[in-house]
Amino acid sequence: MKTEEKVNNLYVVGISLVATLGGFLFGFDSGVINGTVDGLQVAFNAEDIGSGFNVASMLLGCAAGAFFAGRLSDLYGRRSMLIVSALFFIVSAFGSGIATSSGEFIVYRILGGLAVGAASVMAPAYISEIAPAKYRGALATIQQIAIVLGLFFSFLSNYELVIFSGSSKNVLWWDYETWRWMFWMELVPAAVFLISLFFIPESPRYLVAKQKQSKAEQVLSKLYGAVVGKRKVADIDASLAKDGHKPSFKDLYDKVKGKVKPIVWVGIGLAVFQQFVGINVVFYYGAVLWQAVGFGESDALLINVLSGALSIVAVVIALLLVDKIGRKPLLLIGSIGMSVTLALVVIAFTSGSLVADPVTGEESLQLSDAMGMLALIAANAYVVFFNASWGPVMWVMLGEMFPNQIRGVGLAVAGLAQWGANFLVTLTFPVLLGSAGLAFAYSLYTIGAIISIFFVAKYVYETKGKELEEMTA
């Protein structure tokens, strides 16, 4: 019996790791843009709002990808949507590097966004639907580890390429600029992801919903053994039979009470607050941010590598704690920690003064050594708090908190909200940086973190240890 359990556990972990390759590409695709901003500005002559849209354009695709993948996964399957996302990752990575105009680049970035959006909601949903309740949180948290690993390796890749060539704007190999090679590095993991997906099964809960009970039982029997597999098929079937119709967006509305179901608003709130704390400003504009306070390009990229390494450690902490202390306590700790560290970043930036470069005339924020160190430590502590809490836990909860009947459409709406908020924050940061300054921008993110404390305390409920069939709207 012990041998059987060990094999089953290995199988669960193995197929979870394949699914989380989508998270790795999510992170890599999100982070790679960080080191390419200078090259994009030169290549496409884009400044401020134009540069912001080049970076943020992917997020329009993310919003659409998350929204449509959630619904399409109810029709065609979780794994099928992951396969489509893998193909889009490949096309986007190649196209972004070969683009010759801002418009062409934006098209390819939107395609990449569709892939990221689909993977962001499908990977945690898939993992939640195949994982045992007792360590579902830990397995779903691997998704966030994959995301930060993707970010880390994109930062590391960008840094090494710039060290080799001297600048993201310089020509590297075959007469192509370095920033183009930064995008092409993504082709390798994208190809591995696509191939690996053909070796994992479809979600058993999707198979039951499609009246393919025998196939679902085969998958669940391989995961948990024949007896448990058969029982789980019956449980899933019973939970879906309560509604007696195919999932649709109408299921998000409570006809008796005449309003949207509370669980939908909680999902939207979790999705939006994860972005309103400003984390993706660090992910997408980290190099720009640190150059704005006086660091050179290579030093700014090296700080990104440090932040990526700290993120990995933080998510491992979340993995160890999420199934022990629960989801809600981690969210509260993260919100409080981010509120404090963001406030310290604001204090540091407020103390600086704008100094013009004697050659270019461009202004940058100059901090004293003490305040520069405070900003560096506080910003990285903020990243640690985020990745030990809201980073993984939000995705864990979205993947498990919705009842079976509305999981796909619930994820669609929450995913749309998450990426819509991400787009808003990312698009506005260059404008805020150029007009109101870093201190004002980070003050807004601090307010978002503070409000999230009260949101979690009042509206979020614990899902630790519950079977998916126990989730209610």
Side-chain angles (χ1 to χ4, degrees):
M1 184 62 181
K2 288 184 178 179
T3 302
E4 183 184 1
E5 288 179 354
K6 184 178 180 181
V7 172
N8 289 343
N9 288 338
L10 286 174
Y11 186 56
V12 171
V13 172
I15 59 180
S16 295
L17 289 176
V18 170
T20 57
L21 284 174
F24 181 91
L25 286 162
F26 169 178
F28 197 103
D29 204 73
S30 300
V32 70
I33 195 75
N34 201 311
T36 67
V37 174
D38 287 347
L40 290 171
Q41 288 177 339
V42 172
F44 304 143
N45 193 29
E47 297 291 340
D48 290 345
I49 189 68
S51 176
F53 192 77
N54 279 330
V55 176
S57 58
M58 180 189 80
L59 303 177
L60 291 175
C62 290
F67 182 76
F68 289 109
R71 182 69 185 99
L72 290 173
S73 71
D74 283 336
L75 299 175
Y76 304 108
R78 300 353 181 185
R79 190 187 72 155
S80 299
M81 288 301 100
L82 288 173
I83 290 173
V84 171
S85 74
L87 290 169
F88 277 30
F89 274 124
I90 291 171
V91 174
S92 173
F94 178 77
S96 297
I98 205 70
T100 57
S101 68
S102 185
E104 184 183 352
F105 176 81
I106 287 170
V107 169
Y108 283 116
R109 289 303 287 165
I110 290 175
L111 285 177
L114 289 170
V116 170
S120 71
V121 296
M122 283 302 98
Y126 179 86
I127 293 169
S128 292
E129 292 184 345
I130 61 97
K134 63 181 179 181
Y135 48 84
R136 186 179 60 233
L139 286 173
T141 300
I142 295 175
Q143 162 82 351
Q144 186 68 17
I145 293 179
I147 293 172
V148 295
L149 279 172
L151 284 164
F152 173 76
F153 279 105
S154 69
F155 294 157
L156 183 62
S157 173
N158 288 352
Y159 173 70
E160 293 294 342
L161 289 173
V162 165
I163 290 297
F164 191 79
S165 68
S167 170
S168 61
K169 297 168 282 189
N170 292 347
V171 171
L172 185 53
W173 298 305
W174 301 343
D175 293 328
Y176 290 110
E177 299 96 322
T178 302
W179 68 266
R180 298 182 186 275
W181 286 98
M182 291 177 177
F183 288 111
W184 289 337
M185 290 296 162
E186 187 180 343
L187 288 170
V188 175
V192 172
F193 181 43
L194 176 62
I195 295 169
S196 300
L197 286 169
F198 289 99
F199 294 92
I200 66 173
E202 182 52 85
S203 160
R205 286 172 172 82
Y206 164 77
L207 292 172
V208 173
K210 287 296 181 179
Q211 302 300 310
K212 298 179 180 179
Q213 279 81 354
S214 60
K215 287 186 177 181
E217 190 173 330
Q218 289 175 12
V219 175
L220 288 167
S221 295
K222 194 171 181 179
L223 289 167
Y224 305 114
V227 175
V228 176
K230 192 168 186 175
R231 175 176 59 79
K232 282 186 173 289
V233 169
D235 290 343
I236 297 167
D237 213 1
S239 71
L240 292 171
K242 290 179 182 178
D243 293 279
H245 63 275
K246 294 181 179 180
S248 72
F249 286 104
K250 293 180 180 178
D251 295 322
L252 302 180
Y253 187 78
D254 189 327
K255 295 179 181 178
V256 177
K257 296 183 179 179
K259 57 184 180 181
V260 174
K261 293 177 179 178
I263 192 67
V264 179
W265 291 116
V266 174
I268 291 173
L270 285 169
V272 168
F273 278 115
Q274 195 212 40
Q275 293 306 306
F276 280 179
V277 299
I279 190 63
N280 280 321
V281 166
V282 177
F283 289 163
Y284 302 148
Y285 294 110
V288 174
L289 189 156
W290 295 116
Q291 287 180 74
V293 294
F295 289 92
E297 182 182 30
S298 62
D299 288 336
L301 290 172
L302 183 59
I303 292 172
N304 283 344
V305 175
L306 171 63
S307 296
L310 288 172
S311 296
I312 295 170
V313 174
V315 180
V316 171
I317 293 172
L319 183 148
L320 296 173
L321 295 177
V322 67
D323 285 321
K324 292 183 179 179
I325 69 172
R327 286 63 158 150
K328 185 169 182 173
L330 280 180
L331 290 174
L332 284 171
I333 292 168
S335 292
I336 295 168
M338 288 189 294
S339 298
V340 173
T341 50
L342 281 170
L344 291 174
V345 171
V346 172
I347 291 171
F349 287 161
T350 303
S351 72
S353 56
L354 291 174
V355 177
D357 186 290
V359 178
T360 64
E362 293 183 0
E363 290 187 328
S364 63
L365 184 66
Q366 297 296 310
L367 305 179
S368 66
D369 290 343
M371 284 299 173
M373 184 57 67
L374 175 64
L376 185 61
I377 293 173
N380 280 289
Y382 156 70
V383 169
V384 169
F385 274 111
F386 176 85
N387 281 296
S389 60
W390 278 83
V393 175
M394 189 277 291
W395 291 115
V396 170
M397 293 203 70
L398 290 188
E400 68 185 8
M401 66 190 285
F402 296 109
N404 283 332
Q405 179 70 17
I406 66 169
R407 184 165 299 114
V409 290
L411 276 167
V413 172
L416 178 66
Q418 200 267 351
W419 289 109
N422 192 332
F423 176 77
L424 179 64
V425 171
T426 305
L427 183 64
T428 56
F429 177 72
V431 179
L432 291 173
L433 179 63
S435 57
L438 281 169
F440 179 76
Y442 272 75
S443 294
L444 295 179
Y445 309 143
T446 304
I447 293 170
I450 292 171
I451 296 174
S452 74
I453 298 173
F454 299 99
F455 170 76
V456 173
K458 185 171 182 178
Y459 297 109
V460 175
Y461 65 89
E462 187 57 66
T463 55
K464 181 187 73 168
K466 290 185 176 182
E467 294 289 347
L468 296 187
E469 285 66 50
E470 297 178 58
M471 302 299 176
T472 60

